[in-house]
Amino acid sequence: MCVPTRLQCPELRHLSHPPTLHDLTPGYRVARWDHPRALSSRSRDRLHTTLCGLAERAFGADHSSYWRTRVHSGFFDQITTLALILGPDDTPVGWGGYHRLRLASRRSLYLDAAGVVPAHRRFGLSAALMTHFLTREVLAHPLSNTYVVLRTRHPAVYAGWRRGLGAHRVFPDRHRTLPGLVRRLAGEAAEWLGDGPRLHPDTLVVRDAYRMFDGDIYGTRPRSGDTGIDGYFDDAIGPRDAVLVVARTNIHVLARLAAARRVRARLRHHRTPNDIRPFHDHTEDVRTATPTAAGASGLLPPPRF
């Protein structure tokens, strides 16, 4: 649902290209720029500062050099959609975005860097933002599949996509051979990212994917709570490696996800105040990934063009 574009947060007022505002979850909204390239230089600087501050809080580390490199490389001109998650007082508490691509002759989305600050995790915000993105793109072409590509080293991110869409729609899968289409999608995505030679075509592991970071990506090695998935990430993913995840979705999957969200909302509505607890979104698990949980899409290095 689109809501009025009035913003209470001073740092987001009077931008040269204002965002559209949409309800996200109770108490939260999303401010979305569908044409970030239209932002003026001064507006880009303000959003750059906001993104750096959010990333430092979300990951518990200084990522200013990462964002400086991205912005100087044309981040605002290249990304298709950029969004900020706004809290109850309209203060930004998270962010995300995506690139609309054509990979292996299929409509595809590459999910960009995303995160949620610690105080607002476990309310399903990352999952809600990704659903917001997917709904917008899938409804534009409801008769065909949409493929989602993301790069992560966070096992809870991978586990969350498998739980959300169904394990048979998410690759890689240790128990199945990669379909030819998934190989082509992953190969073209890796080439687009500049990681072609580092992609293992059978496992979709990208070696040295986080080579631009000097320190640790995560202060504490993240966990998903699934011993099989955590063990796989421990054994197969090195300290600078990532998995290139490919997921398939369509309007039927989104309808199922929407129905599940409505059921959860009704359950929360009928609970007494003493019963209400935050929705447990495993992609933002503060018990296993504090202080550097990456949110639904993980920490993604900048694309190279």
Side-chain angles (χ1 to χ4, degrees):
M1 173 183 177
C2 187
V3 296
T5 58
R6 182 176 177 82
L7 284 164
Q8 303 300 322
C9 179
E11 64 205 78
L12 297 181
R13 290 181 189 171
H14 311 302
L15 295 174
S16 64
H17 180 58
T20 58
L21 297 182
H22 301 261
D23 291 327
L24 190 62
T25 64
Y28 294 88
R29 325 192 267 179
V30 58
R32 195 185 73 211
W33 288 266
D34 295 325
H35 302 284
R37 67 180 66 87
L39 289 160
S40 68
S41 177
R42 179 173 295 182
S43 295
R44 294 181 186 202
D45 288 344
R46 289 169 61 187
L47 284 176
H48 177 193
T49 299
T50 299
L51 290 168
C52 283
L54 287 171
E56 182 173 358
R57 293 163 61 195
F59 296 105
D62 180 4
H63 286 179
S64 58
S65 62
Y66 163 82
W67 280 105
R68 186 165 52 250
T69 299
R70 295 210 65 187
V71 170
H72 289 169
S73 298
F75 169 75
F76 289 104
D77 293 317
Q78 295 161 357
I79 193 166
T80 301
T81 291
L82 174 66
L84 295 178
I85 300 172
L86 306 180
D89 60 354
D90 258 359
T91 299
V93 299
W95 82 98
Y98 63 87
H99 301 256
R100 190 184 295 125
L101 302 174
R102 194 79 179 172
L103 300 173
S105 300
R106 301 298 195 280
R107 288 187 316 105
S108 306
L109 304 180
Y110 183 84
L111 295 182
D112 203 88
V116 174
V117 302
H120 294 268
R121 291 181 186 149
R122 296 188 68 187
F123 290 92
L125 296 178
S126 286
L129 182 61
M130 294 306 118
T131 301
H132 176 81
F133 289 158
L134 292 180
T135 299
R136 178 169 180 259
E137 292 296 323
V138 169
L139 290 182
H141 300 275
L143 301 181
S144 59
N145 288 320
T146 295
Y147 291 86
V148 180
V149 182
L150 58 117
R151 185 166 51 176
T152 185
R153 56 172 289 99
H154 199 311
V157 172
Y158 172 71
W161 280 92
R162 285 169 60 90
R163 279 189 293 268
L165 299 186
H168 62 290
R169 294 187 178 90
V170 179
F171 296 91
D173 188 323
R174 294 165 295 153
H175 308 296
R176 289 185 292 161
T177 302
L178 286 178
L181 176 59
V182 171
R183 287 176 181 269
R184 294 195 300 275
L185 283 160
E188 291 188 17
E191 291 293 337
W192 177 75
L193 286 162
D195 278 338
R198 283 177 284 271
L199 175 70
H200 192 289
D202 295 323
T203 64
L204 302 192
V205 172
V206 180
R207 298 300 180 195
D208 204 25
Y210 295 99
R211 55 196 175 277
M212 74 289 295
F213 285 92
D214 296 327
D216 292 334
I217 306 303
Y218 299 111
T220 302
R221 191 172 185 105
R223 319 304 284 172
S224 71
D226 183 308
T227 55
I229 290 176
D230 289 341
Y232 165 69
F233 272 72
D234 287 344
D235 295 338
I237 313 301
R240 287 286 182 273
D241 300 341
V243 175
L244 194 63
V245 179
V246 178
R248 183 182 74 253
T249 189
N250 53 45
I251 195 168
H252 305 293
V253 175
L254 288 183
R256 179 171 56 80
L257 290 174
R261 289 175 62 191
R262 287 194 295 270
V263 169
R264 288 195 297 267
R266 284 197 297 268
L267 290 174
R268 288 196 295 268
H269 177 73
H270 290 296
R271 289 175 181 170
T272 66
N274 290 333
D275 292 332
I276 294 176
R277 292 180 295 177
F279 167 63
H280 191 175
D281 180 352
H282 288 274
T283 65
E284 300 170 351
D285 198 326
V286 296
R287 294 174 304 173
T288 58
T290 298
T292 55
S297 65
L299 178 61
L300 306 174
R304 299 178 179 180
F305 298 91

